Amino acid sequence: ARRVIRLLLDEMIGAKIADQLRTRGYDVYSVVEHVELRSMPDPDVLEMATLEDRVLVTLNIVDFQILNRAWASQGRIHGGIVFISTAKYRQSRSFVGLVVTALDHAAKEGQLPHPGSSIFL
């Protein structure tokens, strides 16, 4: 059985991307869509994604790589992390469409990270 793809978009990735992914059938929301989650500390965001069995999608590569290593060294397994490189996906008008397409493609090709692992898009 194909597992349902569940995503949590970090604060820097807006609601527009979540919206477009939902229209494509994904179970996804962005931190910015929930007032009570905004400015939640990164460790808590990763914790929440994991508890909800979601892959975390973030532009915040530095901080989440540190967390990724910390979890690994503690033998903890998060729900998976997708790092979006702003060098590759510039935050211009085409950003939303490019990121939606890249995530959709990665999901369909089975390239999204498994629990405990991470990928760069």
Side-chain angles (χ1 to χ4, degrees), residues 3 9 11 14 17 23 29-30 48 54 58 63 76-78 80 83 85 92 98 103-104 106-108 115-116 121:
R3 68 183 189 123
L9 308 182
E11 198 154 4
I17 291 176
T23 65
Y29 68 92
S30 170
M48 189 172 76
R54 292 181 187 277
T58 185
D63 293 338
R76 298 181 70 197
I77 296 179
H78 53 64
F83 293 110
S85 160
S92 61
L98 290 171
L103 284 168
D104 187 41
K108 289 193 169 118
L121 271 191

Side-chain angles (χ1 to χ4, degrees), residues 46-99:
L46 187 57
E47 190 81 49
M48 189 172 76
T50 301
L51 288 171
E52 295 183 0
D53 191 28
R54 292 181 187 277
V55 172
L56 178 70
V57 183
T58 185
L59 296 171
N60 185 351
I61 293 170
V62 174
D63 293 338
F64 280 99
Q65 275 195 315
I66 292 168
L67 278 169
N68 189 25
R69 284 194 292 271
W71 278 54
S73 70
Q74 296 159 16
R76 298 181 70 197
I77 296 179
H78 53 64
I81 304 173
V82 173
F83 293 110
I84 304 232
S85 160
T86 49
K88 189 171 169 189
Y89 298 95
R90 301 201 181 282
Q91 287 181 293
S92 61
R93 252 181 296 189
S94 56
F95 178 76
V96 169
L98 290 171
V99 171

